[in-house]
């Protein structure tokens, strides 16, 4: 239609001049154009709808992702708070442990000092014990020497006195007499005396002497053991004469 040329003079020269404006072609072209515009509009609306739906989907996805990340962030914050509290507890426990270790170290140092002092005292006691043992050994040697020298004299005295002296235990002496009872010269009279302290004690007497407490008191006052032994023999003899 744009390329056709209209010969107006020729048209006017005809008996019934008419101009064919090609309404049908125009209608067809217009309908085609409107259909194309409608299709374009539909495609545009569909594209817009698709893009809108995609945008809503993406927006929802981002919102869900944001909510998830917010929840994870909150959980991380809670874990962070728990870790901070745990760290504070561990730091407090470390302080208490360090304090306990320091106290134990002080106690250990004190114990080591006490052990050193005890070692010194033990060494002193060992030296003292060694000295005492040497002194005791020396005294025992002296006593053994005296005993060896006095044994013959003791035997010579025991026979006429009819008295035998024996050590039966530590610091305990047994005195046995005979030839006291005229009716039975072999009858034995005895007593055991404890000389472990300054106060002498007679542990047993055979037979029992009623005057023994008085004799013991006299012994502890006079400290004269020989007189005490003599008085005991006389008391046994008096006891026999009474019976």
């Amino acid at each position: 239609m744009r390329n056709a040329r209209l010969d107006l003079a020729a048209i006017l020269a005809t008996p019934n001049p008419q101009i064919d404006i090609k309404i049908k072609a125009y209608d067809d072209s217009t309908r085609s154009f409107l259909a194309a515009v409608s299709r374009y509009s539909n495609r545009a609306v569909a594209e817009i709808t698709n893009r809108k739906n995609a945008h809503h989907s993406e927006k929802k996805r981002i919102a869900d992702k944001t909510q998830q990340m917010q929840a994870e962030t909150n959980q991380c914050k809670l874990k962070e708070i728990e870790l901070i509290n745990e760290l504070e507890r561990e730091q407090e426990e470390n302080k208490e442990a360090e304090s306990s270790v320091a106290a134990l170290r002080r106690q250990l140092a004190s114990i080591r000092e006490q052990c050193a002092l005890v070692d010194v005292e033990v060494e002193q006691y060992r030296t003292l014990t060694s000295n005492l043992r040497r002194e005791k050994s020396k005294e025992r040697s002296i006593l053994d020497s005296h005993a060896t020298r006095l044994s013959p004299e003791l035997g010579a005295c025991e026979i006429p006195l009819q008295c035998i002296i024996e050590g039966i235990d530590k610091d305990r002496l047994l005195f046995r007499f005979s030839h006291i009872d005229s009716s039975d010269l072999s009858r034995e009279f005895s007593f055991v005396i404890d000389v472990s302290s300054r106060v002498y004690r007679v542990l047993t007497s055979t037979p029992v002497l009623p005057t023994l407490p008085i004799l013991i008191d006299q012994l502890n006052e006079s400290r004269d053991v020989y007189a005490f032994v003599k008085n005991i023999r006389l008391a046994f003899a008096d006891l026999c004469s009474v019976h």
Side-chain angles (χ1 to χ4, degrees), residues 80-96:
E80 182 182 5
I81 294 173
E82 292 178 357
L83 291 175
I84 291 173
N85 293 333
E86 183 67 22
L87 180 61
E88 291 178 352
R89 286 194 298 271
E90 290 181 356
Q91 290 177 349
E92 188 66 24
E93 290 177 356
N94 289 335
K95 289 181 180 179
E96 293 178 356

Side-chain angles (χ1 to χ4, degrees), residues 157-165 175-182 184-192 202 205-212 215-216 218 224-242:
C157 293
E158 286 179 346
I159 293 173
L161 294 176
Q162 298 300 318
C163 175
I164 299 175
I165 305 173
F175 289 80
R176 292 186 293 129
F177 302 99
S178 61
H179 293 74
I180 293 178
D181 189 353
S182 59
D184 184 5
L185 296 179
S186 64
R187 180 183 177 188
E188 186 175 276
F189 297 80
S190 65
F191 71 93
V192 176
V202 173
S205 172
T206 305
V208 177
L209 289 174
T211 60
L212 183 59
L215 297 176
I216 288 293
Q218 292 175 353
D224 189 347
V225 177
Y226 300 105
F228 173 72
V229 174
K230 179 181 178 181
N231 292 331
I232 286 285
R233 184 179 180 89
L234 292 175
F236 280 139
D238 292 339
L239 187 62
C240 288
S241 63
V242 172

